[in-house]
Amino acid sequence: MRKRNESVTVEHERAAAAAVPGPLDKGCSLRRSLRLPAAAAEGMKRPLGRRYGLWFRLRKLILWLLGMYIAIPFLVKLCPAIQAKLVFLNFVRVPYFIDLKRPQDQGLNHTCNYYLQPEEDVTIGVWHTVPAALWKNARGKDQLWFEEALGSSYPVILYLHGNAGTRGGDHRVELYKVLSSLGYHVVTFDYRGWGDSIGSPSERGMTYDALHVFDWIKARSGDNPVYIWGHSLGTGVATNLVRRLCERETPPDALILESPFTNIREEARSHPFSIYRYFPGFDWFFLDPITTSGIKFANDENVKYISCSLLILHAEDDPVVPFHLGKKLYNIAATSRSFRDYKVQFVPFHTDLGYRHKYIYRSPELPRILQ
């Protein structure tokens, strides 16, 4: 019994001696006890590493965007065709996945699709919507019937659409319906290079296409009034066309300009979406290439040679073609000698109406304005 107690006491003393540090390793043990566990230290490194990696990627993205912002003006200057593409936007075909051969799919059951050939290797797609009064008679009829219908006692509107999209654009289709309900034939088409029309876009080509369609209408409409309606970029085509018609002494009965500008350089400079307006050398980098590409759309010059009634429609909240450009064009036309025997009218639409760039067709006042 005594031996057992002694052995227990000895073991207890050895354990106590092992637990108490010796004089040499006392400081080392203390330092070891103050160290953070490896997992905790690793946890602190990770957020710091993540923050550094995120900042590095963000800085890299900012530098890349800045480099692109600076490089684009030089790229446009070296390749004027880029700027021409941005003016026409004919590669933007909206709405997508529609068959332009079937206008009835867009709710135009009284519309016929044609194809005309203004020049060799150029084919343009045309829609002809008859007045609503002829809607029932138009069902199931062929192209010949529609062409002969142009000779009926209803006025005709040749509609020239703006850039981007096709003749099947939603707001364009809604305008055709409104004009048809008011008793007009509506003839519209896609310029060469737009929609399913074949050819390369250019200002000269667009104007020639419009001239060809106008002559095609006049050959079938007899003495019925023919009006020309241009919207946005289409106003540039419209004034080009009407100037040529007036010079050959075959003017239309009236010209309607919806959301017009003065000329393409002022429009590009005033465009709210232009992020380069304050870029040093903006004119040299961006506007001169447009002129080099042969694009002018000089409405302000054309109206000085136009001799027919003129109606300008413009919404004050237009975000694409600033309202002040339409007003400026009206002031030029109103003081032009060519309009002294004709009526020139400017109709603004208040911001509260929300018609913006392409919804003037919604105005309940439109029938009265056109009459």
Side-chain angles (χ1 to χ4, degrees), residues 26-37:
K26 187 175 181 181
C28 295
S29 299
L30 186 60
R31 280 197 297 271
R32 276 198 300 269
S33 66
L34 290 175
R35 281 182 194 164
L36 288 171

Side-chain angles (χ1 to χ4, degrees), residues 63-241:
L63 290 174
W64 184 83
L65 291 174
L66 183 61
M68 287 295 295
Y69 180 79
I70 295 171
I72 285 174
F74 291 94
L75 188 62
V76 170
K77 185 65 179 178
L78 292 172
C79 304
I82 295 175
Q83 189 69 326
K85 282 285 187 183
L86 294 175
V87 171
F88 297 137
L89 289 177
N90 59 302
F91 57 89
V92 179
R93 179 173 172 168
V94 288
Y96 297 99
F97 311 118
I98 69 167
D99 186 354
L100 293 171
K101 295 182 180 68
R102 294 177 52 82
Q104 59 268 29
D105 292 347
Q106 310 307 309
L108 296 171
N109 296 319
H110 50 319
T111 299
C112 186
N113 180 66
Y114 308 145
Y115 289 98
L116 302 179
Q117 192 168 15
E119 294 179 311
E120 190 177 354
D121 300 326
V122 174
T123 304
I124 56 175
V126 182
W127 280 0
H128 171 200
T129 303
V130 296
L134 301 177
W135 192 334
K136 291 182 180 179
N137 296 333
R139 290 180 179 175
K141 296 299 192 299
D142 58 9
Q143 179 176 335
L144 181 60
W145 182 91
F146 275 84
E147 289 187 31
E148 291 175 349
L150 285 169
S152 60
S153 57
Y154 294 94
V156 184
I157 289 180
L158 171 57
Y159 179 76
L160 306 171
H161 68 67
N163 66 355
T166 68
R167 61 190 184 275
D170 294 340
H171 64 284
R172 295 162 187 164
V173 168
E174 293 306 315
L175 178 63
Y176 311 154
K177 292 177 181 177
V178 170
L179 296 178
S180 172
S181 70
L182 297 177
Y184 296 96
H185 288 277
V186 182
V187 178
T188 186
F189 66 96
D190 280 320
Y191 317 104
R192 59 187 72 187
W194 271 261
D196 58 353
S197 297
I198 299 170
S200 299
S202 67
E203 182 176 353
R204 186 209 68 83
M206 295 164 72
T207 303
Y208 191 82
D209 293 345
L211 179 63
H212 181 81
V213 177
F214 177 85
D215 288 341
W216 180 86
I217 292 170
K218 289 297 290 183
R220 291 158 178 78
S221 61
D223 295 329
N224 293 329
V226 178
Y227 309 114
I228 294 174
W229 184 314
H231 172 241
S232 192
L233 189 67
T235 63
V237 182
T239 61
N240 281 347
L241 169 62

